[in-house]
Every structure is written in C-alpha cells, then in structure tokens.
Amino acid sequence: MCGIIGFMSRKKRMIKGDKVAIALDSLKERGNGKGSGYVGYGIYPKKYKDCYAFHVLIDNSPKFEKIKAEVEKVLEQYGTIIKDEEIPTEDGIIEKVHIPWRYFYEVDEKYADKEEDVVVDIVMEINDRVDGAFVISSGKDLGVFKAVGWPNEVAEFFRIDKYEGYMWLGHARYPTNTKAWWGGAHPFNLLNWSVVHNGEITSYGTNRRFVEMFGYKCRLLTDTEVVAYILDLLMRKHRVPVEYALSALAPRFWGEIDKMPEEEKELHTAIRLTYGGAMLNGPFAIAVGTPHGLIFMNGDIEEDTTMFGLTDRIKLRPLIAAEKDDMVFVSSEESAIRKICPDLDRVWMPDAGMPVIARPWK
C-alpha cells in the first residue's frame, strides 16, 4: 500500500503547498491514517535560504525544555543557531505527541571544508544520543512536515497551504511491519535528499550494515530511512551521477549485463560489484527530490535540482509519470496527478527498474 506523489517545476516556479495536500488526500485510501507527510523545496525566506533548516521533533512532555537544551548543546558544538522557533501548527487537529521545532543554523567556518559531513554528524548524534528528540530534515531552503494522521489532517496541522515551493513530495503511510509513530512517517530526509516510498525494503538488514560502515546510524525504525542514507553516500560522498546511482539501487540483472556492449557491460558490472550493499530488494516505488543531483553535462559532472522516481526491477509497486508544460509528476496513481492537473500533455508508466528523472530547463 502507501501513496506517494511528487512534482517539480522545471522553471523552478513557486507552487503553493495546498496542491500537494490535495493530491495526497486523493491517495488516502492507500494509507490508514497512521502517518502522512510533506517536503517542500524553496520554501524559506531569502534571509534564511543559505542556512541549514533543522526540523526537530521533541517529545511533548514535562522534559521538553531539558530535551531541547540537549539538542541545542549538540548544535552549538559545531556552529551557530541563527534563529529558532516552534513550527507553526493548528491546535485540535491531531494529538500533539511531539513539538516540532525549527532551527536556522550555520556551521562554524573552521569546518568549511567538511560542512555537510558535520551536518550529517549532528543528525546522527541527535537521533542516536538525545532521548526524546529526532531530526526530520536538515537541508537548506527545504522542510519536512510529518506526523501520525491522515494526509488532510497533517497538512492542516502544519499549515502546508501557507508555504510555496518549486518541488514537493508527499506520502500517505500504511505501516505493515513497524509501528506507527511520527518518526516513521515519510518523507525521510538527510541534508538535501528527501525520499517517499511505497513498499517494503526486504534487503534492509544488508543495506543498513552497508551504510553503517560509513558512519550512518539507523535509528528511526523504518526501512525507508536507509534509502536516504544510501543516496547521500553515493551521490554526495562518492559523487556518483544520478543515473548510475539509481543503477546501484535497482541494478540490471546479470543476464542483461552479459548482453550489453563491452564498455557498458564493464560499467554496470563495476556498479554491481562496488555497491552490492546498496541494492534494494523487495517491492518498492520511490520518489526522491534534491537540489544537488549530479549529471553529466558536456563531459563534466554538474549539480542541479533533480526529482526522480524509481521502482523495483520487476515493478511490484505502481508508479505513474506525467508532464504538463513545465511540470513533471510521479505518483502511485494517475488520479492523484489529475486531481491537481486534469489536462496533462503526457502520461506514461515507466518500465520496471527504469528511472524517471526531471531537471530544470536550461
């Protein structure tokens, strides 16, 4: 089950958050009210666009101030909190088990050569060591908003319609083998990578051991967490372009590789051998957004905003793609796309294990 929706403007045109909320609400039957969430890119004012926006969920308990102080102690070890505030919410919509807090943050200049690594370390340290708090997003000019509830409830609770962004992802959860809690809702995020997922990662144990060899810590009790860390490792740390990184997640079968031209055969063999621990098994469909996708351009590797969708190698979970003018969509169902864009230019069903990749127009 689970319902996913993602869309971006290739002009980086700003789109109000009510659009993703309307689309996701049409997928509510794919969930069961035990988790929903959204992520928007380009949502913050100009004066904070270059700050890391840490969204932290802190237990709504008598220990709130103590837990918050522990979070801030970790942050202040590595940089400066520019502004912090409770994320605005509506009362009476869902049970406020956690208090969502937002920190606009700058890493100390002495860490300039490893700034993003420091942010990853901060996320891992808070999630691992601060009891009663966990980071749900940590990138620049983006924010994750998620909780236990139906899509319309979570959208209303976080006032999603008040935000505007050029790229949005949404998820309606139907948990099957892990508990329903705010940290298990999607999207999952690390730095600028955000993931929504329908299905089950049956290779989670192998994938978890793989990323933990590189210092990541899986603490959020849901298989999708590991996908965000794999993407960060391959595309940010190892500088693998999007197309090849996705080939590591859903690699070609050996029989297909054997029939490839020699140069292509060597490439895909190397990907499978080097990144075997990154291969995702099980039924899945994912949608991912990042402002830092790596692409080949005129013989060089360049970074640009990227949204992509991908399924497992035999497509045991649905994924639909569509286009309208500057907009690109991916979703579990065509109906969710047409709910917000009835007159589409093109609709197609991507082949199993073959990505849909959207980038801005030049």
Side-chain angles (χ1 to χ4, degrees), residues 191-207:
L191 284 170
N192 298 301
W193 304 98
S194 301
V195 183
V196 291
H197 162 227
N198 171 27
E200 182 179 359
I201 307 299
T202 59
S203 56
Y204 172 74
T206 298
N207 302 142

PDB file of all heavy atoms in Angstrom, residues 191-207:
ATOM      1  N   LEU A 191      20.248  16.015   4.862  1.00  0.00           N
ATOM      2  CA  LEU A 191      20.731  17.151   4.079  1.00  0.00           C
ATOM      3  C   LEU A 191      19.668  17.516   3.042  1.00  0.00           C
ATOM      4  O   LEU A 191      18.555  17.834   3.409  1.00  0.00           O
ATOM      5  CB  LEU A 191      22.081  16.835   3.436  1.00  0.00           C
ATOM      6  CG  LEU A 191      23.293  16.886   4.388  1.00  0.00           C
ATOM      7  CD1 LEU A 191      24.532  16.316   3.715  1.00  0.00           C
ATOM      8  CD2 LEU A 191      23.569  18.301   4.861  1.00  0.00           C
ATOM      9  N   ASN A 192      20.036  17.449   1.768  1.00  0.00           N
ATOM     10  CA  ASN A 192      19.103  17.892   0.737  1.00  0.00           C
ATOM     11  C   ASN A 192      18.363  16.755   0.052  1.00  0.00           C
ATOM     12  O   ASN A 192      17.653  16.977  -0.925  1.00  0.00           O
ATOM     13  CB  ASN A 192      19.861  18.731  -0.299  1.00  0.00           C
ATOM     14  CG  ASN A 192      20.452  19.983   0.325  1.00  0.00           C
ATOM     15  OD1 ASN A 192      19.733  20.804   0.874  1.00  0.00           O
ATOM     16  ND2 ASN A 192      21.762  20.118   0.283  1.00  0.00           N
ATOM     17  N   TRP A 193      18.528  15.526   0.558  1.00  0.00           N
ATOM     18  CA  TRP A 193      17.870  14.362  -0.033  1.00  0.00           C
ATOM     19  C   TRP A 193      16.594  14.049   0.727  1.00  0.00           C
ATOM     20  O   TRP A 193      16.616  13.886   1.942  1.00  0.00           O
ATOM     21  CB  TRP A 193      18.798  13.144   0.023  1.00  0.00           C
ATOM     22  CG  TRP A 193      20.105  13.392  -0.632  1.00  0.00           C
ATOM     23  CD1 TRP A 193      21.291  13.747  -0.033  1.00  0.00           C
ATOM     24  CD2 TRP A 193      20.376  13.355  -2.028  1.00  0.00           C
ATOM     25  NE1 TRP A 193      22.259  13.920  -0.979  1.00  0.00           N
ATOM     26  CE2 TRP A 193      21.742  13.680  -2.209  1.00  0.00           C
ATOM     27  CE3 TRP A 193      19.594  13.054  -3.147  1.00  0.00           C
ATOM     28  CZ2 TRP A 193      22.337  13.728  -3.462  1.00  0.00           C
ATOM     29  CZ3 TRP A 193      20.193  13.097  -4.391  1.00  0.00           C
ATOM     30  CH2 TRP A 193      21.547  13.436  -4.541  1.00  0.00           C
ATOM     31  N   SER A 194      15.493  13.915   0.010  1.00  0.00           N
ATOM     32  CA  SER A 194      14.221  13.541   0.627  1.00  0.00           C
ATOM     33  C   SER A 194      13.613  12.391  -0.170  1.00  0.00           C
ATOM     34  O   SER A 194      13.622  12.406  -1.408  1.00  0.00           O
ATOM     35  CB  SER A 194      13.245  14.712   0.647  1.00  0.00           C
ATOM     36  OG  SER A 194      13.788  15.804   1.371  1.00  0.00           O
ATOM     37  N   VAL A 195      13.049  11.415   0.551  1.00  0.00           N
ATOM     38  CA  VAL A 195      12.543  10.192  -0.062  1.00  0.00           C
ATOM     39  C   VAL A 195      11.149   9.881   0.458  1.00  0.00           C
ATOM     40  O   VAL A 195      10.905   9.946   1.672  1.00  0.00           O
ATOM     41  CB  VAL A 195      13.459   8.984   0.269  1.00  0.00           C
ATOM     42  CG1 VAL A 195      12.957   7.724  -0.440  1.00  0.00           C
ATOM     43  CG2 VAL A 195      14.900   9.271  -0.080  1.00  0.00           C
ATOM     44  N   VAL A 196      10.237   9.522  -0.451  1.00  0.00           N
ATOM     45  CA  VAL A 196       8.974   8.896  -0.083  1.00  0.00           C
ATOM     46  C   VAL A 196       8.931   7.532  -0.761  1.00  0.00           C
ATOM     47  O   VAL A 196       9.437   7.366  -1.881  1.00  0.00           O
ATOM     48  CB  VAL A 196       7.748   9.750  -0.465  1.00  0.00           C
ATOM     49  CG1 VAL A 196       7.679  10.998   0.397  1.00  0.00           C
ATOM     50  CG2 VAL A 196       7.757  10.135  -1.946  1.00  0.00           C
ATOM     51  N   HIS A 197       8.295   6.572  -0.103  1.00  0.00           N
ATOM     52  CA  HIS A 197       8.458   5.173  -0.507  1.00  0.00           C
ATOM     53  C   HIS A 197       7.166   4.408  -0.301  1.00  0.00           C
ATOM     54  O   HIS A 197       6.526   4.520   0.742  1.00  0.00           O
ATOM     55  CB  HIS A 197       9.605   4.574   0.331  1.00  0.00           C
ATOM     56  CG  HIS A 197       9.646   3.080   0.365  1.00  0.00           C
ATOM     57  ND1 HIS A 197       9.808   2.368   1.542  1.00  0.00           N
ATOM     58  CD2 HIS A 197       9.552   2.165  -0.617  1.00  0.00           C
ATOM     59  CE1 HIS A 197       9.821   1.078   1.280  1.00  0.00           C
ATOM     60  NE2 HIS A 197       9.652   0.917  -0.021  1.00  0.00           N
ATOM     61  N   ASN A 198       6.796   3.622  -1.283  1.00  0.00           N
ATOM     62  CA  ASN A 198       5.693   2.674  -1.184  1.00  0.00           C
ATOM     63  C   ASN A 198       6.266   1.274  -1.341  1.00  0.00           C
ATOM     64  O   ASN A 198       6.913   0.986  -2.348  1.00  0.00           O
ATOM     65  CB  ASN A 198       4.653   2.939  -2.280  1.00  0.00           C
ATOM     66  CG  ASN A 198       3.593   1.844  -2.342  1.00  0.00           C
ATOM     67  OD1 ASN A 198       3.311   1.175  -1.348  1.00  0.00           O
ATOM     68  ND2 ASN A 198       3.013   1.656  -3.521  1.00  0.00           N
ATOM     69  N   GLY A 199       6.042   0.422  -0.350  1.00  0.00           N
ATOM     70  CA  GLY A 199       6.517  -0.948  -0.468  1.00  0.00           C
ATOM     71  C   GLY A 199       7.295  -1.390   0.754  1.00  0.00           C
ATOM     72  O   GLY A 199       7.107  -0.879   1.863  1.00  0.00           O
ATOM     73  N   GLU A 200       8.196  -2.312   0.540  1.00  0.00           N
ATOM     74  CA  GLU A 200       8.983  -2.876   1.630  1.00  0.00           C
ATOM     75  C   GLU A 200      10.387  -3.179   1.141  1.00  0.00           C
ATOM     76  O   GLU A 200      10.568  -3.831   0.102  1.00  0.00           O
ATOM     77  CB  GLU A 200       8.329  -4.158   2.145  1.00  0.00           C
ATOM     78  CG  GLU A 200       9.053  -4.786   3.325  1.00  0.00           C
ATOM     79  CD  GLU A 200       8.355  -6.034   3.821  1.00  0.00           C
ATOM     80  OE1 GLU A 200       7.310  -6.405   3.263  1.00  0.00           O
ATOM     81  OE2 GLU A 200       8.872  -6.653   4.775  1.00  0.00           O
ATOM     82  N   ILE A 201      11.387  -2.704   1.858  1.00  0.00           N
ATOM     83  CA  ILE A 201      12.786  -2.975   1.527  1.00  0.00           C
ATOM     84  C   ILE A 201      13.189  -4.248   2.276  1.00  0.00           C
ATOM     85  O   ILE A 201      13.567  -4.208   3.449  1.00  0.00           O
ATOM     86  CB  ILE A 201      13.696  -1.791   1.909  1.00  0.00           C
ATOM     87  CG1 ILE A 201      13.184  -0.481   1.313  1.00  0.00           C
ATOM     88  CG2 ILE A 201      15.133  -2.072   1.482  1.00  0.00           C
ATOM     89  CD1 ILE A 201      13.133  -0.450  -0.191  1.00  0.00           C
ATOM     90  N   THR A 202      13.087  -5.379   1.606  1.00  0.00           N
ATOM     91  CA  THR A 202      13.401  -6.644   2.275  1.00  0.00           C
ATOM     92  C   THR A 202      14.898  -6.832   2.486  1.00  0.00           C
ATOM     93  O   THR A 202      15.315  -7.680   3.267  1.00  0.00           O
ATOM     94  CB  THR A 202      12.846  -7.833   1.471  1.00  0.00           C
ATOM     95  OG1 THR A 202      13.404  -7.832   0.156  1.00  0.00           O
ATOM     96  CG2 THR A 202      11.322  -7.755   1.371  1.00  0.00           C
ATOM     97  N   SER A 203      15.697  -6.033   1.797  1.00  0.00           N
ATOM     98  CA  SER A 203      17.161  -6.077   1.973  1.00  0.00           C
ATOM     99  C   SER A 203      17.622  -5.108   3.050  1.00  0.00           C
ATOM    100  O   SER A 203      18.826  -4.817   3.143  1.00  0.00           O
ATOM    101  CB  SER A 203      17.852  -5.729   0.650  1.00  0.00           C
ATOM    102  OG  SER A 203      17.407  -4.461   0.167  1.00  0.00           O
ATOM    103  N   TYR A 204      16.707  -4.624   3.874  1.00  0.00           N
ATOM    104  CA  TYR A 204      17.041  -3.591   4.864  1.00  0.00           C
ATOM    105  C   TYR A 204      18.247  -3.963   5.714  1.00  0.00           C
ATOM    106  O   TYR A 204      19.129  -3.130   5.954  1.00  0.00           O
ATOM    107  CB  TYR A 204      15.831  -3.319   5.769  1.00  0.00           C
ATOM    108  CG  TYR A 204      16.148  -2.412   6.931  1.00  0.00           C
ATOM    109  CD1 TYR A 204      16.346  -1.048   6.746  1.00  0.00           C
ATOM    110  CD2 TYR A 204      16.266  -2.925   8.226  1.00  0.00           C
ATOM    111  CE1 TYR A 204      16.644  -0.214   7.811  1.00  0.00           C
ATOM    112  CE2 TYR A 204      16.564  -2.091   9.299  1.00  0.00           C
ATOM    113  CZ  TYR A 204      16.754  -0.743   9.090  1.00  0.00           C
ATOM    114  OH  TYR A 204      17.057   0.077  10.146  1.00  0.00           O
ATOM    115  N   GLY A 205      18.333  -5.201   6.185  1.00  0.00           N
ATOM    116  CA  GLY A 205      19.465  -5.598   7.030  1.00  0.00           C
ATOM    117  C   GLY A 205      20.786  -5.420   6.330  1.00  0.00           C
ATOM    118  O   GLY A 205      21.741  -4.861   6.880  1.00  0.00           O
ATOM    119  N   THR A 206      20.872  -5.876   5.081  1.00  0.00           N
ATOM    120  CA  THR A 206      22.096  -5.717   4.285  1.00  0.00           C
ATOM    121  C   THR A 206      22.383  -4.249   4.021  1.00  0.00           C
ATOM    122  O   THR A 206      23.526  -3.783   4.165  1.00  0.00           O
ATOM    123  CB  THR A 206      21.958  -6.456   2.949  1.00  0.00           C
ATOM    124  OG1 THR A 206      21.783  -7.854   3.194  1.00  0.00           O
ATOM    125  CG2 THR A 206      23.177  -6.251   2.061  1.00  0.00           C
ATOM    126  N   ASN A 207      21.344  -3.496   3.626  1.00  0.00           N
ATOM    127  CA  ASN A 207      21.519  -2.067   3.341  1.00  0.00           C
ATOM    128  C   ASN A 207      21.960  -1.302   4.580  1.00  0.00           C
ATOM    129  O   ASN A 207      22.820  -0.414   4.509  1.00  0.00           O
ATOM    130  CB  ASN A 207      20.219  -1.464   2.810  1.00  0.00           C
ATOM    131  CG  ASN A 207      19.692  -2.128   1.556  1.00  0.00           C
ATOM    132  OD1 ASN A 207      18.489  -2.292   1.399  1.00  0.00           O
ATOM    133  ND2 ASN A 207      20.573  -2.532   0.659  1.00  0.00           N
TER     134      ASN A 207
END
